């Protein structure tokens, strides 16, 4: 049975890669920067997005695509800030795929957007396997999850362009060894930026905003 | 493409259900209690298992089946305590399945075991879909993940027989509303026991041990 699953998976991934390519072409045509944000459940993706909305207000036009198994909690939060938000409910699927993103893009006014942030389903595994067409992979790991996670979920850490270590405000209460973590990551992915942040208190967010503003600048603005 | 995936999934789940039934018959034959422990990455499954090993020493003969994408970190920890431990590396799959458990059971001396604890892959989604043949579903949610998780990952919470809220030692540092959480869970699953614990400090573990010893007693011991 194992081999059978693998064959099916390859077909699905092949079709997904085609769709992801189409998404990339579409956002490129509109000079949009698109980010795929991944993490475990509750690591702080939405809090990071809320902080980023605050920072970019008046600087770049942002839209958010929210992926969840169920509920519209996150899209509601974003929408309250006056940001275009699309909620995708996967109804059981453990990740977003490129076809879902295509449908979301069809529902956004792409000519009026500089940055699209995709908040993927909370999961360190399946989300790493499905390309969405995003330009950059932004991964969050939160301090309470522990510094051994790169060894257990290597694909996600290998693919990340930037790794944000969130919830540094509670570092004193957990045994999280930042230098051990960095060493493990550098073995898997020597080029990813590692940025410790607290999306709750705002501490450490400057390097993240710099990274983002640099990426937006390279993309070219519409204004 | 959506419909195609679903059809495939049903076939896989059908075959898995058959294998799970076989596993259940096998452990029943040996009067073993088998638990399937699930959570997000880093929520504290291994710490709970280590505490449980300490408590049951001399009372019940325990074995552990560890599921991870990669690495043997968790099985090594368990093995150091003199407990039979099987590590399953799923090499990318986001959950254990019944066939993997069958292979692990084949490598255990079932006549000498009272309790098998399966530590599933860290994931709140896929692990809920694949029955393993376990008698009870034990779910951990950690305080830092947030009290809104039942709304986002309803299947896992619906299936749980017992829900352990771990890392209560850091409750003062997080906005986790225990009564809001209990209310949400009771809407999905009115019968699951909810037990707040700290697997790190040991606080609150007595009700968990009572639950477990009661389940073991009902199972009947071999001695």
């Amino acid at each position: 049975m194992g081999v059978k699953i693998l064959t099916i998976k390859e077909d699905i991934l092949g079709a997904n890669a085609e769709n992801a390519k189409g998404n990339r072409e579409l956002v490129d045509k509109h000079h949009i920067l698109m980010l795929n944000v991944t993490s475990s459940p509750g690591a702080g993706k939405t809090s990071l997005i809320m902080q980023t909305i605050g920072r970019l207000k008046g600087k770049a036009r942002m839209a958010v695509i929210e992926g969840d198994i169920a509920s519209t909690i996150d899209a509601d939060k974003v929408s309250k800030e006056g940001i275009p938000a699309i909620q995708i409910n996967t109804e059981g699927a453990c990740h977003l795929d490129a076809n879902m993103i295509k449908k979301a893009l069809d529902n956004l006014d792409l000519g009026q957007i500089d940055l699209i942030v995709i908040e993927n389903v909370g999961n360190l595994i399946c989300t790493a396997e499905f390309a969405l067409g995003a330009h950059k992979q932004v991964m969050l790991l939160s301090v309470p999850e522990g510094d051994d996670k790169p060894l257990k979920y290597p694909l996600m850490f290998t693919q990340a362009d930037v790794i944000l270590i969130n919830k540094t405000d509670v570092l004193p209460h957990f045994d999280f060894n930042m230098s051990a973590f960095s060493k493990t990551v550098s073995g898997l992915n020597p080029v990813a930026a590692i940025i410790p942040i607290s999306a709750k208190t705002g501490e450490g967010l400057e390097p993240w905003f710099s990274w983002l503003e640099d990426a937006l600048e390279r993309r070219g603005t519409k204004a």
Side-chain angles (χ1 to χ4, degrees), chain A residues 18-24 26 34 65 86 88 97-108 110 118 132-133:
Chain A
E18 275 303 303
N19 288 331
K21 208 179 141 210
N23 291 344
R24 175 72 71 93
L26 185 59
M34 187 155 76
I65 301 173
I86 308 280
I88 300 173
D97 67 28
N99 192 44
M100 297 172 187
I101 297 302
K102 170 74 175 68
K103 286 178 189 164
L105 293 176
D106 288 344
N107 283 283
L108 287 168
L110 298 179
I118 302 167
L132 304 180

Side-chain angles (χ1 to χ4, degrees), chain A residues 5 16 18 34 44 53 56 72 80 84 90 96 102 106-107 115 131 141 144 177 183 185 190 196 208 211 216:
Chain A
I5 296 173
N16 185 71
E18 275 303 303
M34 187 155 76
I53 288 172
L56 291 185
T72 59
K80 269 184 197 156
T90 64
L96 293 173
K102 170 74 175 68
D106 288 344
N107 283 283
L115 171 67
L141 180 79
N177 186 328
K183 204 176 156 190
V185 169
W208 156 247
W211 182 93
L216 274 167

